[in-house]
Amino acid sequence: FRGEHFLEPIVVHCDRIPQALMSDALTPSHKRKESEVQLEVASVAGENLCSVVATSSWTGFQVKAAVEQVISVPAGARLQLTSQSQIVGDSMTVGELGLQSGMVLQVVMTSSAAGNYSVDGAVGDDKFTRLILNEDGSAGLYRRTHTGQRLRVTEYKKRGTWKHLGSDSVQVHMTALNTIWQSDSDDDVEKEAEHDETLVITCLDQGALQGWKKA
């Protein structure tokens, strides 16, 4: 695959794509049993972005992985492909979708999961009540507790990154934990520590996340 100026199907930079995704493309042409399908990829505005050479057994996931090697996907965004108004599903194959050489796939960028969320349901003392997923791919988890009679407040802030996992979930990876102790009589005390925590949250309809509601 390459830009629109190439007239013949070629595959380049295969070393940057996982072996499992590109096994067909790396097989010598004289040994291939499946015919190749050259698909054109265009933006919503109709601009030709690249071409992808696949076989009928390639899945939608493999096609999208190939496109993502050429097209820059913003952090926190999700790339979707459509063909004649039909969404190219991750598990469906090129053959099942009826894709043939010369057909155009349209790129749609979505980031419906980005936003400011509050926890949905009962809240305990150890529950993080706010989740922020930013368009730039950064993420934050927050909670605040009150203890004692001297209005002692403790704020916990986790920072990290997030990304889409396919079309049905997001992964949040927290790498830092900031803790601030406050009271009405003492100076604030702040502590920063490394943190390693990964959350996988299911995406629901209309950009909602399981267990969280958009603020």
Side-chain angles (χ1 to χ4, degrees), residues 130-214:
R130 288 184 59 210
L131 170 66
I132 297 179
L133 305 179
N134 296 309
E135 295 281 1
D136 64 0
S138 61
L141 268 171
Y142 306 89
R143 77 180 174 99
R144 184 184 181 102
T145 62
H146 298 78
T147 57
Q149 297 181 351
R150 295 192 303 168
L151 194 60
R152 186 174 182 86
V153 177
T154 306
E155 290 185 348
Y156 301 91
K157 302 177 182 180
K158 294 179 181 179
R159 300 193 310 275
T161 59
W162 75 280
K163 64 180 179 180
H164 284 282
L165 294 179
S167 59
D168 59 356
S169 61
V170 296
Q171 176 181 288
V172 182
H173 182 211
M174 293 301 170
T175 57
L177 172 61
N178 179 266
T179 307
I180 302 176
W181 292 271
Q182 302 172 327
S183 74
D184 56 358
S185 60
D186 299 324
D187 293 334
D188 293 354
V189 177
E190 183 172 354
K191 180 181 178 181
E192 180 89 12
E194 293 183 356
H195 190 73
D196 187 7
E197 179 183 6
T198 300
L199 306 173
V200 176
I201 308 173
T202 301
C203 294
L204 305 178
D205 293 336
Q206 299 179 345
L209 298 178
Q210 188 171 44
W212 298 88
K213 57 184 178 181
K214 276 194 174 180

Side-chain angles (χ1 to χ4, degrees), residues 19-137:
Q19 181 72 24
L21 300 180
M22 293 297 295
S23 56
D24 290 331
L26 297 176
T27 302
S29 58
H30 67 278
K31 293 184 179 181
R32 293 181 193 164
K33 297 180 181 180
E34 296 181 279
S35 59
E36 292 181 332
V37 178
Q38 181 169 332
L39 304 170
E40 305 302 322
V41 181
S43 68
V44 175
E47 178 187 1
N48 193 312
L49 301 175
C50 67
S51 298
V52 173
V53 178
T55 66
S56 60
S57 64
W58 270 38
T59 62
F61 178 78
Q62 288 174 292
V63 175
K64 284 196 286 187
V67 173
E68 288 174 349
Q69 301 305 307
V70 177
I71 298 175
S72 177
V73 180
R78 178 175 56 190
L79 183 146
Q80 296 280 15
L81 295 175
T82 63
S83 173
Q84 298 178 338
S85 300
Q86 178 184 10
I87 295 176
V88 177
D90 286 349
S91 60
M92 297 187 69
T93 66
V94 169
E96 291 170 342
L97 290 164
L99 299 178
Q100 301 176 5
S101 288
M103 294 185 70
V104 177
L105 301 179
Q106 190 175 75
V107 170
V108 179
M109 295 289 185
T110 63
S111 56
S112 59
N116 193 334
Y117 295 84
S118 60
V119 69
D120 188 9
V123 178
D125 289 341
D126 61 345
K127 188 78 171 182
F128 279 76
T129 57
R130 288 184 59 210
L131 170 66
I132 297 179
L133 305 179
N134 296 309
E135 295 281 1
D136 64 0

